[in-house]
Amino acid sequence: MKVLIIEDDPLHRSYLNEAIRAALPECDGVLEAENGNAGERLARDLKSAHIVMDLQMSQRNGIEAARTIWKERPETRILFWSNYSDEAYVRGVSRIVPVGAVYGYVLKSASDDRLKLALRSIFIESQCVIDREVRGMQQKSLGNVNGFTEAEYEILIDIALGLTDRAIAQRRNLSVRSVQNRLQQLYVKLGVYQPLGGQDDEGRFNLRARAVAVAFLRKLLNHSALERAEADLSAWLARQPHD
Amino acid sequence: MKVLIIEDDPLHRSYLNEAIRAALPECDGVLEAENGNAGERLARDLKSAHIVMDLQMSQRNGIEAARTIWKERPETRILFWSNYSDEAYVRGVSRIVPVGAVYGYVLKSASDDRLKLALRSIFIESQCVIDREVRGMQQKSLGNVNGFTEAEYEILIDIALGLTDRAIAQRRNLSVRSVQNRLQQLYVKLGVYQPLGGQDDEGRFNLRARAVAVAFLRKLLNHSALERAEADLSAWLARQPHD
DNA sequence: ATCTTTTCTGCGGGATCCCGCAGGGTCTCG
DNA sequence: CGAGACCCTGCGGGATCCCGCAGAAAAGAT
C-alpha cells in the first residue's frame, strides 16, 4: 500500500509524512507532490493510490486535482486536509465526490490523534470521516435552513463572474425574467433585499454587487471557487459560436 | 531582547521559534500568540517587542493587528512572514507602515537561511528586508506602469463592497459624475472596457461586477482586504447621520 | 383527474449604470 | 501671461437592472 501526499507547504508535508508512517505501519511507501499538477501525474502512475491532499494550493487547486483524479479512478480514496471549512470548499468537494466513494475532510487544526484516526478509518476500514465542523457546514448548506439551492448558488457564481442577466439566461437556458427572479430570491436569502419602507440606507447599495460582497464575506465564495468558475466560463464561451 | 511570534499555525509557530533561537542567540525569550488579538495584548505588555507575524489569521487579520501595534508603538519592528505576495497584502502592509519604521516581508516559501538572515537584518542591524517577489509587486503596484492609483484602488474597493455611485460620491466627497469617471478609468486598467466596435462578446459582462471579479482573480483584492473595507464602511455608515 | 404549489415567462416602468460631450477649475512649463 | 495637461462637474441618452403584476407551464398532492 502506498500513500500520496499532495500539499504545497513543506512543513505540513513532512508532518503528514510522519503521521502517515506512524498511523499506517502497513504502508510501504509515501510519495509527495507539492502541487495539484504533480499530484495528478503521480496518481495516474500509481496503480491505486490513497491520497491525502490540501485544498488551496497555488499551482492547481486541490478540488480541480481531485476532480480529475476521481474522474480517472473513482475508487481512489482521498483525505482532504485543509485549514478552512469555508462553505465554498465544502460545497466544492461534495459536488465532485463520486457516488459510494470513500473520502474524508479533516481540518488542520484537528489534533494529532484525530488525523491518525481518520487515516486509519479511511484507508483501512473504508469509512468516511468528516470533521464535525465541516459536517455542520454541509448540513447548513444542503438543508434548506439558511441554505442555498443549487440554482441560487449557480446564479450567485454567475453574477460574481460579472455576467449580465442576458448572458446568464443564455448560459443557463432561461428567460431573462427567470434569471431576475432567481436574483431576487438570492438577494432575500443573503439579507441584501431592501424593503421599500426603510428610508434609512435607501439606495446605498447596488444589490448585485452587494450580494457578491456578502457572499465573499460569509465565505460562500472564495478565490478558488471563483477561479474554477472562471475556467468553466471561458470553456463555455469558447464553445459558444457567437451570439 | 524578546521576540513575539504571532502565527496561527502550530507547525509554523514551532518552526519559527526554532529559527529565531538559532538565528538570534542574543535573544532571551520567545513568546507565542496564536491570533491577532492575543498578539496585540502581548505586544502591549512587553516594553518594546520585536515581532514576527503571519498575515491571514482567522481571528484577527495580521494587518489589523500590525496597525494597532504600530499605532501604539511606531518603533516596533515587525517581520511579516506570509504565504502569499498578493497585491492586496503588499498594499495593505505598505499602507500602514509608519515613516522610518524597520520592517520586513518574507515569504514562507523562502529558504531557511533567508529567513534567518532577515531576522538578523531587521532585529539586529535595523535594516528592512523585503523579499524580491514582494518588492516586485510593490514596484508594479506603486509605479504607474500597470499599477493602480490610490484613487482607483479606493473606488475598486467601494464597488466591491456593493456601494452605488451615489453612495460612493457621498463617501469620497465627489460628484456622481466624477465617480463614474474613475470607474471608467478603472475598467480600462482592468482590461474590462468594451470598445463599441467588437460585436463579439458584446454585452456579456456587467462591467461593474466584472471589474470586481477580475480584481479578485488577479489578487488585487482578497478576503482580508474586503473584511477590512467592510469594517471601515460600517464605521463610516454609523458616523453618517442619515441622508 | 383535479387542485395546489412552484417555477417560468412577458410586459412595463422607475432607478441605476455607462459614457460621450462640453465647460470650468488647478497646476505646470515655457 | 497663455498653452497644455489634468481632474472635477452637469447634461443627456441608451442600455441595464430591479421588481410588481399576472398568465402559462410543470411538478406534486389528494
Side-chain angles (χ1 to χ4, degrees):
Chain A
M1 178 174 110
K2 290 190 192 312
V3 176
L4 170 59
I5 297 174
I6 310 179
E7 157 73 79
D8 61 348
D9 186 321
L11 258 57
H12 287 178
R13 212 157 52 222
S14 70
Y15 169 76
L16 257 188
N17 198 319
E18 250 177 83
I20 289 171
R21 291 183 190 282
L24 303 171
E26 52 271 81
C27 153
D28 63 347
V30 179
L31 296 172
E32 300 186 355
E34 64 175 4
N35 64 57
N37 288 317
E40 286 176 30
R41 231 174 305 120
L42 278 177
R44 195 170 296 125
D45 295 348
L46 265 53
K47 288 283 292 184
S48 157
H50 296 178
I51 301 180
V52 181
M53 75 159 76
D54 191 6
L55 307 170
Q56 171 163 341
M57 289 174 292
S58 47
Q59 290 299 335
R60 181 165 167 79
N61 162 352
I63 292 183
E64 307 245 11
R67 178 157 54 178
T68 76
I69 290 172
W70 262 332
K71 193 173 297 174
E72 300 178 5
R73 247 183 258 278
E75 76 282 8
T76 308
R77 300 186 187 174
I78 304 182
L79 170 57
F80 297 99
W81 190 55
S82 168
N83 269 111
Y84 309 102
S85 60
D86 293 6
E87 181 161 350
Y89 281 135
V90 174
R91 195 179 272 271
V93 168
S94 49
R95 179 198 295 277
I96 60 166
V97 42
V99 285
V102 175
Y103 79 106
Y105 193 136
V106 335
L107 296 177
K108 287 190 180 177
S109 58
S111 70
D112 219 72
D113 289 340
R114 259 247 282 302
L115 172 60
K116 288 178 181 160
L117 202 119
L119 286 168
R120 288 205 71 79
S121 298
I122 295 170
F123 295 144
I124 306 292
E125 308 185 29
S126 308
Q127 194 179 346
C128 290
V129 175
I130 317 285
D131 238 347
R132 294 187 54 80
E133 200 174 332
V134 178
R135 170 68 70 188
M137 183 61 69
Q138 246 179 33
Q139 306 238 328
K140 197 180 66 181
S141 168
L142 299 182
N144 47 6
V145 184
N146 191 8
F148 289 68
T149 312
E150 199 55 30
E152 288 158 359
Y153 190 71
E154 209 168 51
I155 207 168
L156 169 60
I157 283 184
D158 285 338
I159 60 172
L161 286 172
L163 293 172
T164 61
D165 293 2
R166 185 146 39 90
I168 298 173
Q170 202 170 325
R171 186 177 187 197
R172 306 298 183 187
N173 286 319
L174 291 172
S175 75
V176 173
R177 188 61 183 87
S178 295
V179 170
Q180 294 170 334
N181 275 343
R182 294 193 176 180
L183 281 175
Q184 273 183 90
Q185 215 173 324
L186 182 69
Y187 298 153
V188 171
K189 283 215 183 165
L190 283 172
V192 162
Y193 182 78
Q194 297 184 336
L196 307 104
Q199 300 277 343
D200 231 15
D201 14 296
E202 189 70 7
R204 275 203 203 293
F205 288 119
N206 173 323
L207 295 190
R208 177 177 285 246
R210 184 63 181 164
V212 176
V214 320
F216 258 103
L217 288 171
R218 289 201 198 168
K219 305 194 175 179
L220 242 156
L221 281 172
N222 61 19
H223 181 81
S224 85
L226 200 64
E227 263 186 338
R228 270 177 290 138
E230 175 75 12
D232 289 351
L233 172 63
S234 60
W236 178 80
L237 280 178
R239 207 165 46 247
Q240 217 59 7
H242 280 302
D243 60 334
Chain B
M1 178 174 110
K2 290 188 190 318
V3 176
L4 170 58
I5 297 174
I6 310 178
E7 157 73 76
D8 61 348
D9 186 320
L11 258 57
H12 288 177
R13 212 156 52 222
S14 69
Y15 168 76
L16 257 189
N17 198 319
E18 249 178 85
I20 290 172
R21 290 183 190 282
L24 303 170
E26 52 272 79
C27 154
D28 64 347
V30 178
L31 296 172
E32 300 187 355
E34 64 175 2
N35 64 55
N37 289 317
E40 286 177 29
R41 232 175 303 120
L42 278 177
R44 195 171 297 123
D45 295 349
L46 265 52
K47 287 286 290 184
S48 158
H50 295 177
I51 300 179
V52 181
M53 74 158 79
D54 191 6
L55 308 170
Q56 169 163 336
M57 288 174 293
S58 48
Q59 291 298 335
R60 182 166 166 76
N61 163 349
I63 292 183
E64 307 245 10
R67 178 157 57 179
T68 77
I69 290 171
W70 263 333
K71 194 173 296 174
E72 299 178 7
R73 247 184 258 279
E75 76 282 7
T76 308
R77 299 185 188 173
I78 303 182
L79 171 57
F80 297 98
W81 191 55
S82 168
N83 270 111
Y84 308 103
S85 60
D86 292 5
E87 181 160 351
Y89 282 133
V90 174
R91 195 179 272 271
V93 168
S94 49
R95 178 197 297 276
I96 60 166
V97 44
V99 286
V102 176
Y103 80 105
Y105 194 136
V106 336
L107 295 177
K108 286 189 180 177
S109 58
S111 71
D112 220 72
D113 289 340
R114 256 249 285 298
L115 173 60
K116 288 178 181 161
L117 202 118
L119 286 168
R120 289 204 71 79
S121 298
I122 296 170
F123 294 145
I124 306 293
E125 307 185 30
S126 307
Q127 195 178 344
C128 290
V129 175
I130 318 286
D131 237 346
R132 295 187 54 81
E133 201 174 333
V134 178
R135 170 68 71 189
M137 185 61 69
Q138 244 179 37
Q139 306 239 330
K140 197 180 65 180
S141 166
L142 299 181
N144 45 8
V145 184
N146 190 9
F148 289 67
T149 314
E150 199 56 31
E152 288 157 359
Y153 190 71
E154 211 168 51
I155 208 168
L156 169 60
I157 284 184
D158 285 337
I159 61 171
L161 286 172
L163 293 171
T164 61
D165 293 2
R166 185 145 39 88
I168 298 173
Q170 203 169 324
R171 187 177 187 198
R172 305 298 183 186
N173 285 320
L174 291 171
S175 74
V176 174
R177 190 60 182 88
S178 295
V179 170
Q180 294 170 334
N181 275 343
R182 294 193 178 181
L183 281 175
Q184 274 183 90
Q185 216 172 321
L186 182 69
Y187 298 152
V188 171
K189 283 215 182 164
L190 283 173
V192 163
Y193 181 78
Q194 298 184 334
L196 308 104
Q199 300 277 343
D200 231 15
D201 16 296
E202 189 70 7
R204 275 201 203 292
F205 288 118
N206 173 323
L207 294 190
R208 176 178 288 246
R210 184 62 181 165
V212 176
V214 320
F216 257 103
L217 289 171
R218 289 201 198 166
K219 306 196 174 180
L220 243 157
L221 240 49
N222 61 19
H223 181 81
S224 85
L226 200 64
E227 263 186 339
R228 272 178 288 137
E230 175 75 12
D232 290 352
L233 172 62
S234 60
W236 178 80
L237 280 177
R239 208 166 46 249
Q240 218 59 6
H242 281 301
D243 62 334

